[in-house]
Amino acid sequence: MSDSSPSLSAVTRYAEVPGRRLAYRSIGSGRPIVLCVRFRGTMDSWDPLFLDSLAARGLQVIVFDYSGLGLSSGEPTYNPASLARDAIDLIAALGLERVVIGGWSVGGIAAQIVLAQSPQLVSHAVLIATTPPGPLARSGEQLFYTLAKRDNGFEDFVGLFFEPSSPASREAAARSAGRIAQRSDPSPAVPHEWARQQLGDGPRNPMFPSDAVLQALKHTTIPVLHLGADHDIAFPVENWYALNGQLPTLHLVTFPRTGHGPQLEYPEAAAGHIASFLAIPTATKENP
């Protein structure tokens, strides 16, 4: 795959933003999609086949490391507002206009904040395995906190992002891990000793207590897609279905037999769903 993968050969570049330097990579050309990564993730936590599949569908895919993590300078934090600020500053530094804002897990929370705070920058929002704001119908599982706090091997990778009881899901995990490992100069991993101090002891309800963002989602004209899984131990997909009828632009896609990384198990299908979703025009206030 490495000989023909644009994402594996993409050069790491740097954007100067206020007070820090953000590392990023750009894959493909066309409509820009800016992707905010998961907890403990870096640019190299995205499956290369997922990124390449998005680029093959006419998107300029931009991934980056949060401030102070991976190859970016600055003060590290998992405050979602700071993660959203990184995305907003990167969009400005690259001179992009309206982008597709995307995010996985805590990155999906950051993407929702970008939509709420800077809707003029956003044409569509693509949320992957994340939580909505406000009270939850179903909390996550303690297992996620156990696994997310320690140094992870392959079995933890399966437990966190796939469905361990499914042979097919385990095989997909092996393929995804193999693709991710092919990057010859990966961004430095986020230290788990530091990350565990940011996580908390267990699931909370709500996980994302922001009425302002919830109200923004209830009144936005920007199309929103959530790509979820039927067994997400961090952010159960049921919480998005509980908002059916309340979020006027929300589209839901749920993949079977997988966990907190549905785009890892279904990289090409996930990219296909995203590309189809982006064909939906952004409504205006005059033409909702």
Side-chain angles (χ1 to χ4, degrees):
M1 180 180 179
S2 57
D3 291 339
S4 58
S5 170
S7 59
L8 288 174
S9 59
V11 175
T12 300
R13 303 181 188 280
Y14 295 89
E16 300 295 335
V17 301
R20 63 218 192 276
R21 190 172 72 155
L22 296 178
Y24 73 96
R25 298 188 194 124
S26 177
I27 302 121
S29 60
R31 190 175 192 174
I33 178 169
V34 177
L35 296 175
C36 306
V37 76
R38 63 169 171 84
F39 178 73
R40 290 182 62 183
T42 68
M43 294 184 284
D44 294 299
S45 299
W46 297 102
D47 190 313
L49 183 55
F50 174 61
L51 302 183
D52 291 346
S53 297
L54 289 172
R57 288 166 170 80
L59 292 169
Q60 179 192 6
V61 185
I62 298 165
V63 296
F64 66 100
D65 286 341
Y66 295 126
S67 291
L69 301 176
L71 292 168
S72 291
S73 67
E75 188 69 26
T77 175
Y78 274 115
N79 182 317
S82 296
L83 308 184
R85 175 47 58 188
D86 283 344
I88 291 169
D89 286 349
L90 181 61
I91 292 167
L94 298 182
L96 302 174
E97 296 183 353
R98 298 193 82 183
V99 307
V100 180
I101 189 69
W104 173 20
S105 189
V106 72
I109 296 175
Q112 293 173 68
I113 295 173
V114 173
L115 182 153
Q117 291 186 348
S118 301
Q120 75 281 3
L121 297 178
V122 177
S123 70
H124 295 70
V126 175
L127 312 176
I128 302 172
T130 191
T131 184
L136 302 176
R138 181 176 175 179
S139 295
E141 300 179 24
Q142 186 63 41
L143 176 62
F144 174 80
Y145 294 82
T146 301
L147 299 180
K149 287 183 174 182
R150 67 190 188 195
D151 193 19
N152 299 136
F154 177 71
E155 285 302 320
D156 284 357
F157 181 66
V158 175
L160 282 164
F161 303 117
F162 295 81
E163 177 51 81
S165 64
S166 165
S169 188
R170 295 184 68 87
E171 291 172 6
R175 291 193 295 272
S176 181
R179 291 188 294 265
I180 291 171
Q182 288 186 48
R183 180 85 191 187
S184 60
D185 58 343
S187 194
V190 175
H192 67 89
E193 298 89 347
W194 173 81
R196 67 184 300 171
Q197 299 173 12
Q198 320 302 314
L199 186 59
D201 295 329
R204 303 180 299 279
N205 190 351
M207 287 296 295
F208 179 25
S210 175
D211 187 63
V213 175
L214 181 59
Q215 292 306 314
L217 291 176
K218 287 183 175 180
H219 295 92
T220 187
T221 59
I222 295 171
V224 176
L225 169 66
H226 183 264
L227 288 176
D230 62 356
H231 186 197
D232 188 333
I233 64 172
F235 296 136
V237 71
E238 288 86 346
N239 296 309
W240 287 100
Y241 285 94
L243 291 170
N244 267 339
Q246 299 182 55
L247 308 186
T249 65
L250 176 63
H251 298 244
L252 296 172
V253 173
T254 301
F255 288 97
R257 193 208 57 213
T258 193
H260 190 47
Q263 84 285 5
L264 301 176
E265 180 159 348
Y266 299 95
E268 292 168 296
H273 280 295
I274 292 169
S276 296
F277 164 72
L278 296 182
I280 299 169
T282 303
T284 64
K285 294 292 185 183
E286 292 74 21
N287 298 292

